[in-house]
Amino acid sequence: MPRYVVLESDIETKSQKVRVMRDGFAVLAIGFPVPWLIFHRLWFEAILLLPLVMAISLFSGNPETMGIVLVGNLTLGLLVAIEGDGRIIARLKRRGYREIGTVAEAQNYEEAEFHAAELMARVPSTKKKEAPKPDADTDMILGLA
């Protein structure tokens, strides 16, 4: 069963402020690792993986090396399938989202969103409060005015 990670953004943008992301096994990535990475906009990972896929495909012309090709492609696909969702979450964290919790008891995405709403109700707001401005008298004493 996949777990869902709840991410919150402190940055005011047009995109979602709270996101629920699946962190599990990506089945389609086994057969199509590079297109899966490109579809999810993981450009750096796709660029790193493409030369490996091309190097493995060089062996595909010879019938004696088909085992190497099969094992190599399966290995790369499994690597992307296992780590792919985690890379998406890491990309969101680099863009200003922070993890506020996980939902492990959800069967599907809708149920995960429901549990995430409960989690958001329990977590206090993280908006930064402005520091109170000091008195003018304090500034005069400190020589700041």
Side-chain angles (χ1 to χ4, degrees):
M1 180 181 345
R3 82 180 174 120
Y4 293 87
V5 178
V6 182
L7 301 161
E8 180 183 31
S9 175
D10 291 334
I11 303 168
E12 294 294 328
T13 61
K14 293 181 182 178
S15 65
Q16 297 173 340
K17 183 154 176 71
V18 176
R19 295 188 69 171
V20 179
M21 298 300 300
R22 181 180 182 272
D23 188 15
F25 190 78
V27 178
L28 284 176
I30 294 173
F32 310 101
V34 175
W36 189 90
L37 290 170
I38 291 171
F39 178 77
H40 290 285
R41 296 181 181 163
L42 296 170
W43 310 114
F44 182 71
E45 291 84 351
I47 289 170
L48 287 178
L49 195 65
L50 189 59
L52 294 173
V53 171
M54 291 171 64
I56 290 172
S57 69
L58 290 176
F59 294 106
S60 65
N62 191 352
E64 290 132 8
T65 59
M66 289 306 289
I68 295 172
V69 172
L70 180 64
V71 170
N73 283 331
L74 185 61
T75 303
L76 291 177
L78 282 172
L79 179 69
V80 173
I82 292 169
E83 292 296 324
D85 288 338
R87 298 302 305 157
I88 295 170
I89 293 168
R91 182 190 70 204
L92 288 172
K93 287 180 179 179
R94 284 190 306 267
R95 290 187 176 174
Y97 284 85
R98 66 179 184 84
E99 185 175 334
I100 58 169
T102 59
V103 177
E105 63 271 3
Q107 297 292 329
N108 55 25
Y109 186 76
E110 288 78 23
E111 192 174 331
E113 283 185 329
F114 177 74
H115 289 294
E118 291 176 352
L119 180 68
M120 289 299 297
R122 284 186 270 144
V123 174
S125 179
T126 60
K127 290 186 179 179
K128 295 179 182 176
K129 297 178 182 174
E130 292 183 26
K133 294 191 176 189
D135 299 345
D137 295 335
T138 308
D139 288 343
M140 292 297 283
I141 294 171
L142 297 175
L144 298 174

